[in-house]
Amino acid sequence: MINALKDLSFQVVFEAAADAMLVTEDSGDIVSINPSAQQLFGYAADELNGIAIETLIAPQYRKQYRYYQEFFFNEPVKRSMSVGNELVALDRNGKEILLEVSLSPIKVQHQLFILIRLNVAHERFEAEEALRISEERLRLAKQAAGLGILDYDCNRNIVYWDKQVRELWGGEHSETVSYEEFVAMIHPEDRAARQTAIDYAMDPTSNGEFRAEYRVINPSNNAERWISAMGRVYFENGCANRLVGVTRDVTEQKNAQKKLQAHRDEAENILKQQVAARTASAIAHELNQPLAAISAYSEVLLHALHNDTTNSDSLERALKGCVEQAQRAGRSLHELLAFLQKGELVTERLNLNDAINEALSILCNDGYEKFCAVLHLEKNLPAVQCNHTQVQKALLNLFRNAVEAMRAVNLPTLTIETAVQTVAGASVAIVTIQDSGPGLDQTTAKRIFEPFFTTKPTGIGMGLAISYALIEANGGQLWVDPDAKSGAKFHLTLPLAPDHA
Ligand code: ADP
């Protein structure tokens, strides 16, 4: 040993030590505290001398220290508290310090003193604190998301479930349960689908992900709850050995979904009823005209028979009228049904000028003859591509409405002006039909294409709705002119045949 060191006193070494140290009597009272320890606790030496060491230890660790001290006195040899038995002390400001403590006996003239060395377990303490915080965060996040944790040990066939899951399942349960007991609480109808999802996730060739929704039945009151579960299977040596997952109560969402579905079904039913009603109205609309004509012809026939004024020509004309109208009604129904069933639209090249003349002559045969038709037809009009019958039906509806509107106001002359033209650069032909009737006020103009909208006492309100749909189905448009100066003015377009477009 270097000679100079022989003279070093205990006190000098004690004061110089970088480690925090203090000396206590066997009673536990502090008799000396070195500068490092003073700095650690934030006290001056004279503030601590004579005070019990326990005062520096956090209350919940005092018992542990006492026990350790007693143990030391039974056999006073050098000892350090083993890892994991650290103490928490408090500094002057009440801040916790995790300390590893070692005790060494010092005997001076039959009196036993204890040299206590304190080592601050910073890193461990911080790591534990961080773990505690992250566990707390996880707990709060789980709570906020309403998640429970399930851990299935496949080898031992045991399911560990946390408090949240146990609460969801209902009833009284311990922390672990056999897999069979666990499955027994799942709704019988949902077990197979859930097991398929488990089997798939446990297949080592899968990615191990598990997802399922199933119901559980509370054994105490038979109440059902919907559970959404997701998790991951862990494999060892190619075999599934653990499934860890989270569960969530989705009963409210499921109930909301059910309600929504019930509303959808109800809305669909109403829609179906509406479609049925509209179809019936459309059929009525198609039959109205021919049935009225057949009835009129039949009355003429009956009258002639009763009065013995039968002449074979008029009889034949009336009968022919009946036959024609009945056939027309049949054709109309057939086409209407094809249209409603959205069958393939058969189109042809059509000369719109001819179609307009044809519609006007049908109108006259139907008893709408007393009006003046003014035509502005474009010469050499290119053909349009459309379904002849459907376009004719739309034109007839427009002409018929025009005559009915003009008749309703007892005008001396009823005029329908019809113009057909093409527009340079546009690949459509435009038909404009204007009558000299009362026209449309703003509210009526807004609603005329609505099904069932009618202002006529015996009207059905389907004519314009059908016409609109027919023209649209043929690639055109139908609209009412809001700027008509007098009477009602309608426009419709139809696409030109491909070689003219
Ligand atoms: P309906 O003829 O059975 O009433 P429509 O759908 O063909 O059904 O016509 C709907 C309504 O539009 C008519 O009741 C009428 O009020 C109005 N309307 C249609 N065309 C004209 C017109 N040219 N002039 C005035 N009002 C019309």
Side-chain angles (χ1 to χ4, degrees):
M1 183 186 283
I2 302 168
N3 274 343
L5 293 181
K6 283 185 193 158
D7 298 329
L8 268 182
S9 70
F10 164 78
Q11 197 59 33
V12 172
V13 176
F14 182 68
E15 298 277 325
D19 287 344
M21 292 185 192
L22 38 81
V23 177
T24 66
E25 291 176 330
D26 53 2
S27 62
D29 290 349
I30 299 169
V31 289
S32 186
I33 174 159
N34 77 350
S36 300
Q38 291 167 33
Q39 199 186 356
L40 180 67
F41 291 111
Y43 290 105
D46 54 357
E47 286 180 287
L48 292 177
N49 282 337
I51 285 179
I53 185 161
E54 278 183 39
T55 347
L56 292 173
I57 294 168
Q60 66 271 35
Y61 287 87
R62 283 178 193 161
K63 205 168 147 198
Q64 186 185 341
Y65 180 76
R66 234 171 284 143
Y67 168 78
Y68 183 55
Q69 192 174 259
E70 245 171 56
F71 186 70
F72 173 82
F73 283 128
N74 280 342
E75 201 189 339
V77 290
K78 231 182 330 180
R79 293 211 162 81
S80 47
M81 278 177 95
S82 54
V83 173
N85 277 334
E86 296 86 350
L87 288 178
V88 173
L90 300 172
D91 74 1
R92 187 183 200 116
N93 300 318
K95 188 179 156 231
E96 292 186 340
I97 317 166
L98 185 72
L99 294 172
E100 287 165 3
V101 180
S102 51
L103 309 181
S104 309
I106 303 175
K107 257 200 172 156
V108 181
Q109 296 165 1
H110 306 295
Q111 195 181 343
L112 184 62
F113 291 92
I114 315 166
L115 173 67
I116 303 172
R117 193 177 68 88
L118 306 166
N119 186 30
V120 182
H122 275 304
E123 284 177 8
R124 216 179 118 82
F125 186 57
E126 275 159 18
E128 274 176 8
E129 185 62 5
L131 186 65
R132 192 184 64 75
I133 291 172
S134 87
E135 273 175 358
E136 180 64 4
R137 276 199 198 123
L138 183 66
R139 191 185 67 77
L140 291 173
K142 259 176 61 187
Q143 199 178 33
L147 294 177
I149 290 181
L150 272 175
D151 191 346
Y152 170 38
D153 181 335
C154 313
N155 298 325
R156 292 165 63 212
N157 203 36
I158 281 178
V159 177
Y160 161 82
W161 44 357
D162 72 358
K163 194 163 153 262
Q164 277 92 331
V165 183
R166 296 201 299 272
E167 275 170 11
L168 267 184
W169 258 245
E172 294 287 313
H173 302 287
S174 58
E175 280 189 5
T176 54
V177 66
S178 78
Y179 185 68
E180 285 71 26
E181 282 174 276
F182 175 79
V183 171
M185 284 171 267
I186 293 172
H187 196 294
E189 285 173 17
D190 301 338
R191 280 181 209 160
R194 178 189 161 280
Q195 194 56 47
T196 310
I198 295 248
D199 293 346
Y200 179 77
M202 287 196 170
D203 181 343
T205 58
S206 76
N207 62 3
E209 271 177 22
F210 163 71
R211 233 172 240 273
E213 280 193 352
Y214 49 86
R215 283 163 291 175
V216 290
I217 305 171
N218 185 331
S220 44
N221 57 7
N222 282 336
E224 281 179 15
R225 296 213 73 80
W226 271 100
I227 306 295
S228 165
M230 60 187 288
R232 170 172 290 282
V233 172
Y234 294 88
F235 298 91
E236 202 177 87
N237 301 327
C239 282
N241 70 343
R242 196 173 170 198
L243 190 166
V244 182
V246 288
T247 61
R248 202 157 55 91
D249 184 352
V250 289
T251 313
E252 301 302 321
Q253 285 106 300
K254 283 278 174 188
N255 287 345
Q257 271 172 13
K258 239 195 220 164
K259 264 192 201 153
L260 195 70
Q261 191 53 43
H263 279 140
R264 275 199 203 120
D265 290 348
E266 199 181 309
E268 207 168 294
N269 273 341
I270 292 173
L271 190 73
K272 274 185 195 155
Q273 282 168 13
Q274 280 177 353
V275 169
R278 280 177 196 192
T279 311
S281 306
I283 291 171
H285 178 266
E286 292 306 306
L287 290 185
N288 226 8
Q289 197 59 44
L291 283 180
I294 290 171
S295 154
Y297 282 126
S298 308
E299 264 174 36
V300 171
L301 282 171
L302 272 177
H303 185 77
L305 282 171
H306 282 309
N307 296 317
D308 244 0
T309 54
T310 338
N311 100 27
S312 64
D313 275 358
S314 61
L315 205 65
E316 192 183 337
R317 245 200 329 276
L319 280 171
K320 257 192 183 159
C322 282
V323 172
E324 264 170 27
Q325 291 298 336
Q327 282 173 349
R328 198 169 126 202
R331 266 200 314 276
S332 286
L333 274 189
H334 184 76
E335 278 154 12
L336 178 70
L337 285 177
F339 175 70
L340 290 173
Q341 285 161 2
K342 297 264 180 289
E344 203 188 320
L345 185 71
V346 182
T347 63
E348 59 189 281
R349 294 165 59 84
L350 179 77
N351 183 316
L352 259 182
N353 291 346
D354 294 348
I356 283 164
N357 279 319
E358 193 182 16
L360 286 170
S361 85
I362 293 176
L363 197 68
C364 293
N365 290 339
D366 285 350
Y368 284 79
E369 73 274 22
K370 289 184 188 112
F371 67 92
C372 165
V374 180
L375 296 175
H376 310 281
L377 307 178
E378 187 174 295
K379 276 192 191 142
N380 305 320
L381 185 75
V384 290
Q385 187 75 29
C386 60
N387 179 286
H388 184 174
T389 332
Q390 291 183 355
V391 169
Q392 190 191 75
K393 206 183 293 283
L395 288 172
L396 269 173
N397 277 336
L398 292 170
F399 287 138
R400 219 177 267 142
N401 276 342
V403 176
E404 284 171 2
M406 293 185 292
R407 276 186 189 165
V409 286
N410 293 324
L411 294 172
T413 42
L414 318 183
T415 311
I416 301 181
E417 272 187 63
T418 307
V420 185
Q421 55 187 321
T422 49
V423 180
S427 49
V428 291
I430 303 180
V431 180
T432 303
I433 299 174
Q434 170 149 37
D435 60 52
S436 56
L440 300 154
D441 60 48
Q442 268 189 354
T443 336
T444 312
K446 267 192 199 148
R447 302 194 52 198
I448 48 173
F449 295 111
E450 285 175 22
F452 306 118
F453 175 78
T454 180
T455 56
K456 300 172 193 167
T458 56
I460 295 171
M462 286 301 291
L464 284 178
I466 292 176
S467 305
Y468 186 90
L470 290 175
I471 296 298
E472 237 190 11
N474 280 274
Q477 281 178 321
L478 170 63
W479 71 101
V480 65
D481 193 330
D483 303 323
K485 298 276 175 298
S486 63
K489 193 173 184 180
F490 287 87
H491 302 279
L492 70 86
T493 60
L494 284 167
L496 295 183
D499 52 336
H500 294 299

